[in-house]
Amino acid sequence: MGTRAGAWQPLPDELPPEVRHHVEQLRRLKDRTGLSLVALGTRTAYSKSSWQRYLNGLQLPPREAVLALCRVAGADGVRVVAGWELAGRVWARTSAEARASTEACAAEASAPAPARRPAPNWRLVACFAFAVIALLLGGLLWVVAQVAAERGGSGGEPSLAPGASVSEPFGARRAPGTATE
């Protein structure tokens, strides 16, 4: 950050040519004053750190800062301000594009992940499975009891006569000692 020409840090590569030209013009004006950044800050009411940002192409200076530098350097402010206006338009366009790109990246990064289903509570699943099995068994026992009651009749007699085959209809009795076909 010296006051001699050629002692400046290189400007960022992504700096548009119009902005680069304006910053180089400001650097030449600053060098022409022979002032340090601290002294320039005192004479222009802009701090040393502000001038560092302006003269390194990190931030576009306000119009008043450019006019103040021209006054201290004894330069034509109209010509320099015309370059500042051109650089400002380009800077605004590239800054808007950079912000849009940054915002798009930030939006992608901060987009909520797809909702994940919470892990099932295994105790609850086991209780539910037990309840379903109990209901099924209860229903099965009820059906068996209904069928048994229907087959058994009202007298409580066995559903099959002794010696009857399973294929005989219910209630078909044979007299004892009769032959089967």
Side-chain angles (χ1 to χ4, degrees):
M1 239 38 83
T3 58
R4 293 175 291 144
W8 295 100
Q9 292 181 355
L11 292 172
D13 291 334
E14 63 274 359
L15 213 56
E18 298 86 353
V19 176
R20 178 179 297 277
H21 176 73
H22 178 67
V23 171
E24 289 169 349
Q25 186 178 28
L26 293 178
R27 285 179 170 188
R28 285 191 298 274
L29 287 173
K30 190 266 178 211
D31 289 341
R32 193 161 104 182
T33 66
L35 299 173
S36 69
L37 288 177
V38 173
L40 182 62
T42 304
R43 304 263 314 260
T44 62
Y46 291 89
S47 69
K48 171 189 170 190
S49 60
S50 293
W51 281 113
Q52 285 175 333
R53 288 190 303 273
Y54 305 152
L55 297 171
N56 285 310
L58 301 175
Q59 183 180 352
L60 190 67
R63 184 175 190 270
E64 293 76 23
V66 172
L67 288 172
L69 177 60
C70 289
R71 190 174 47 254
V72 170
D76 177 22
V78 174
R79 185 170 161 243
V80 179
V81 168
W84 172 83
E85 288 173 350
L86 178 61
R89 283 192 298 269
V90 172
W91 189 284
R93 185 177 62 235
T94 56
S95 295
E97 291 169 358
R99 274 194 311 274
S101 174
T102 303
E103 288 171 2
C105 290
E108 288 176 12
S110 66
R116 290 178 46 184
R117 294 178 67 189
N121 183 344
W122 291 109
R123 287 184 182 171
L124 182 62
V125 171
C127 288
F128 181 75
F130 179 75
V132 168
I133 291 170
L135 284 173
L136 289 173
L137 284 176
L140 182 63
L141 289 175
W142 181 80
V143 168
V144 168
Q146 291 297 321
V147 169
E150 200 175 286
R151 286 186 178 176
S154 57
E157 299 174 357
S159 60
L160 291 176
S165 72
V166 177
S167 62
E168 292 178 359
F170 293 121
R173 297 187 177 210
R174 297 177 188 253
T178 56
T180 61
E181 300 178 39

